[in-house]
Structure formats: structure tokens, C-alpha cells
Amino acid sequence: MCMSRPYMFLSCLIPGPHNPKARIDVYLQPLIDDLKKLWSGVQTYDVSRKQNFMTRASLMWTINDFPAYGMLSGWGTQGKLACPYCMEHTKAFRLEHGKKNSWFDSHRRFLPNTHTFRKNKKAFTKAKVEMGGPPSMLTSEEVYHTMKNVPTIIDEPHLSKLPGYGEWHNWTKRSIF
Amino acid sequence: MHIKKNLFNNIFNTVMDVKGKTKDNDKARKDLSLYCWRPDLELKLQSNGKILKPKANYTLTNEESKLAYQWIKELRMPDGYSSNLARCVDVDKGRIHGMKSHDCHIFIECLLPIVFSALPVHVLNPLVELSHFFKDLCSTTLRDHNLVRMEENISIILCKLERIFPMHSLIQWNTSRFILQMKQDLVDQFNIDGCIHSKGMTKYHY
């Protein structure tokens, strides 16, 4: 139902030719202001009942493709640490001849503990048994504590690369959400 | 959308062994010998000084790929289902061009198991499973228990593919590893919201 025409409207088109990258937050600022106002509630008139009521709203999810995911979340989706699920626990490495990052053999840790692939020393990386579990997911509090000292794009429009970017983290900014 | 398109390009060009576009190149073979144990795929130095690149089991032979191209050439689609794929195929040069992302979507979901049916079963099966995964993911109704099952399956499918294909094709496929993560998000979201996602409601665009 939420994808049908009466419930959707185009509110903003960001002009090209350049990708806004982390500065997409500037375009989202009015939305955030409205959402903040709606969180505490706004008096609205109900025509059918002929009385006022409080409208409240919250952001449930965003629909985006992968590059836009990097812009919205603040975790860059490029380079070795691109996977926002593994984050700094990534097993990506650079290929000797191909000169590109590879995520080969990063998926065995998602298998059930007893799966035969985990003990397979031939089919995956040479002579390696994978016994580790999947990386743990950050909770919203943990994300908040990691990012609370990082400025948003609104506070600091010319935010340069954070120290350690691409080495032990891939954070570009504090997300506006 | 782009995940499927990249995936299609890499799988198709590697399996059909399109010159210049295949991910199964010399560098990939060299890397394979460094990181994996695949003696059947390693480059071999011959007595006359030339290097032999053995044929891999995941590529079709020339005759088989010609037949596959011929099959796509003669394919007729229902009106409005996809663009005219016959127009995209060049049988003589052995390549495919001008595919829009929707065509790649159709190809991955419906045609892939048929076109690659000449591959050995152990190579074809993971590819078919991947195709089914995408089909399930893009269905109009997603059910809770199906999502959990799909999430368990996709890591196994990815591992099976890693077993067969060289790492170079997996470089571009690394997008496919995100599927795993997306899946997880979807299931979580589903549990939180408790509502059925319609087709466009998926958090990401595949």
C-alpha cells in the first residue's frame, strides 16, 4: 500500500552533474527539521470528525542503492572496508597480480558452525580452516557512541577526511539521521 | 539494479569466455595459484617456452557458446516483458551488447539456467540457485519464513561460487556479498516492523 501513488510524492530532486557525496545532508536538512517537529507532534485538523488531533511521524527506513547507502549512513562504501556489514572486521585483501581488493573467502564465517565447508582446506584459501562466527552488528547506541564526537556536514561544511579513514574505519561524517 | 547488472556481465562474459571481458584472465589464474589449491587451473609452462592456460570447467566451449548465442537470437519474448534480446546478440563475434539493466534482470532470473545448461552440474547448480535467490527476492510478496531460509541459503551459495570461479570474477561480484548483508537487514526490519514488504519496499535497489 505504501508504494501506491496516493502515498508517494516527489519532494526533492538534487541537480547534477556532480555527486553530492557526503553533502547530501544539506538537502535533507529541511526533512530532518520537519521530522523533529513531527516527533513531538503537530496539531492537525480532521475534516471527517471536525476536530483537532496530534500528528506524529517517524522515519522508518530509507530505500537506496549502494552508493547512496554510503552517502546516507556515513560509512563509505569504497575501498577495502566497503562492506558495511563486516565494517572493521573485514577479511578483504589485495590481490598480488590483479591489484584489486578481493573479498574471497569472507563468506564462510556466515555458515552454520557444523557446515563441511568450514573445514575444507582445498576449495577455499589454501590450508585454512574457518571457525570464526559472523561479525556482530552494531546497535544504535554503539553507533552513537562511536560517532558522537564527529561533526556533521551541517556543523562543518568543509569536513576533510577523518584520521584513519580507509585504514581502520571508513566513516566519512556523522549521519544527519 | 546495478548489482544484478554487474553480476550478469561478469557471469556471462566469464562463462562465455568473451575475449577482453572475461574475468578469467591470466592475472586471475596467477592469483589463484597463490591463494588457492586449484592445480587444474594453474598456468603451465610448456617445453617450447609458451605458457598454456588450461580450459576451465566453468567456461563453455566455442560450439556450446555459439549454440547458446543462437538460442538467444531466436528467442521471442512476450510484449513489454523485456527488450528484443535478439538485437543485442552478435553470434559471429560471440558477444552481447546493449543490454539494459532490466534485460539483465530478466536474464539472471529466467534465462540463465537455460542458456548455461551445457555447463557441468556442479557449476550450473549454484548459478541456478543464485538465479532463484534473485527471483524470490524480487517477488511481490516476501514471507517471513522464506526470508530466513533465503538468508541461510545465500551464504552457502556464495561459498559454492567461490569454490568454482576465480577470485577476479569475485572482485566484481563482491557486490554480491552485500546481498548477504541486505538480506540480514531485511529480515531484521521485517521482524521489527512486522509488515509485508511489497516489491519496491526493499531497502536497497538490487
Side-chain angles (χ1 to χ4, degrees):
Chain A
M1 189 182 85
C2 44
M3 294 305 289
S4 55
R5 189 165 274 185
Y7 298 94
M8 284 180 91
F9 70 102
L10 179 71
S11 58
C12 175
L13 260 179
I14 300 173
H18 297 293
N19 178 345
K21 295 200 175 146
R23 286 179 186 79
I24 198 170
D25 285 0
V26 178
Y27 297 94
L28 294 174
Q29 185 61 44
L31 170 75
I32 300 296
D33 292 344
D34 285 352
L35 279 173
K36 274 184 182 164
K37 210 182 279 173
L38 281 165
W39 182 258
S40 49
V42 175
Q43 285 285 343
T44 319
Y45 182 63
D46 185 346
V47 182
S48 61
R49 285 188 185 172
K50 295 203 171 70
Q51 62 187 33
N52 280 345
F53 69 102
M54 291 291 265
T55 312
R56 292 176 211 273
S58 70
L59 181 81
M60 291 178 84
W61 53 70
T62 58
I63 303 173
N64 44 259
D65 62 2
F66 204 69
Y69 180 96
M71 293 181 217
L72 290 172
S73 67
W75 181 271
T77 48
Q78 287 148 332
K80 198 176 154 187
L81 297 158
C83 176
Y85 188 67
C86 306
M87 300 186 89
E88 59 270 17
H89 308 294
T90 181
K91 292 198 172 179
F93 60 95
R94 199 175 147 88
L95 292 174
E96 181 89 23
H97 298 283
K99 310 272 189 242
K100 283 181 176 176
N101 289 327
S102 169
W103 279 259
F104 179 72
D105 204 11
S106 321
H107 305 107
R108 269 201 289 172
R109 54 176 162 170
F110 294 97
L111 294 174
N113 281 335
T114 49
H115 203 280
T116 45
F117 279 176
R118 277 183 175 267
K119 288 187 180 171
N120 195 331
K121 289 183 185 175
K122 282 189 177 173
F124 300 96
T125 313
K126 263 183 203 169
K128 194 182 156 214
V129 179
E130 176 69 66
M131 292 320 285
S136 58
M137 268 181 120
L138 285 181
T139 59
S140 44
E141 287 86 19
E142 282 168 346
V143 175
Y144 176 74
H145 281 293
T146 338
M147 299 308 293
K148 66 181 175 188
N149 296 326
V150 178
T152 60
I153 289 294
I154 309 295
D155 302 335
E156 209 172 304
H158 299 290
L159 187 67
S160 54
K161 268 186 188 172
L162 303 174
Y165 175 85
E167 288 165 31
W168 69 83
H169 73 83
N170 232 12
W171 293 109
T172 50
K173 59 165 185 187
R174 173 142 60 100
S175 173
I176 194 169
F177 287 125
Chain B
M1 182 176 94
H2 284 106
I3 289 180
K4 245 185 255 170
K5 185 181 148 290
N6 290 340
L7 201 71
F8 163 77
N9 282 337
N10 289 317
I11 295 180
F12 189 86
N13 291 329
T14 307
V15 171
M16 293 297 202
D17 206 9
V18 180
K19 207 177 172 190
K21 285 189 174 178
T22 171
K23 295 285 165 192
D24 179 30
N25 47 24
D26 298 348
K27 284 179 181 172
R29 294 292 179 95
K30 279 181 194 167
D31 278 324
L32 266 183
S33 61
L34 277 181
Y35 302 104
C36 312
W37 195 84
R38 310 244 177 106
D40 54 326
L41 293 181
E42 282 170 19
L43 296 176
K44 288 189 182 86
L45 190 67
Q46 285 180 314
S47 53
N48 57 3
K50 288 186 176 173
I51 293 172
L52 175 79
K53 186 173 143 196
K55 188 198 162 294
N57 56 9
Y58 48 81
T59 53
L60 296 176
T61 58
N62 277 353
E63 293 79 42
E64 283 166 345
S65 60
K66 205 146 217 172
L67 275 177
Y69 281 124
Q70 202 69 48
W71 186 81
I72 305 172
K73 188 90 192 167
E74 287 160 13
L75 197 65
R76 289 288 172 273
M77 286 287 191
D79 201 20
Y81 189 65
S82 82
S83 63
N84 186 6
L85 288 182
R87 194 173 39 89
C88 304
V89 176
D90 193 333
V91 181
D92 297 331
K93 284 183 184 165
R95 53 179 60 221
I96 199 161
H97 53 82
M99 294 276 280
K100 299 286 174 200
S101 50
H102 180 71
D103 303 333
C104 299
H105 160 89
I106 298 292
F107 197 98
I108 285 256
E109 285 189 6
C110 309
L111 307 179
L112 187 135
I114 310 164
V115 175
F116 295 157
S117 54
L119 284 174
V121 182
H122 75 283
V123 182
L124 182 64
N125 278 358
L127 288 176
V128 175
E129 282 169 26
L130 191 72
S131 145
H132 283 301
F133 171 79
F134 275 114
K135 206 167 189 171
D136 290 345
L137 196 64
C138 296
S139 59
T140 39
T141 320
L142 293 173
R143 300 215 177 276
D144 197 0
H145 57 273
N146 280 353
L147 281 177
V148 175
R149 183 180 51 81
M150 280 154 70
E151 190 194 331
E152 285 162 5
N153 282 351
I154 185 65
S155 50
I156 300 175
I157 298 170
L158 287 178
C159 284
K160 281 182 186 169
L161 289 172
E162 279 180 348
R163 248 169 16 140
I164 299 159
F165 285 89
M167 281 176 258
H168 265 229
S169 56
L170 288 163
I171 293 169
Q172 292 295 319
W173 293 13
N174 61 30
T175 33
S176 66
R177 84 196 179 276
F178 298 126
I179 299 164
L180 182 74
Q181 180 245 335
M182 289 165 188
K183 209 59 256 99
Q184 206 113 25
D185 276 13
L186 266 182
V187 175
D188 288 347
Q189 223 176 52
F190 188 91
N191 291 339
I192 297 164
D193 309 331
C195 59
I196 298 281
H197 298 267
S198 61
K199 186 171 181 178
M201 263 335 282
T202 46
K203 194 175 173 187
Y204 306 84
H205 273 186
Y206 302 100

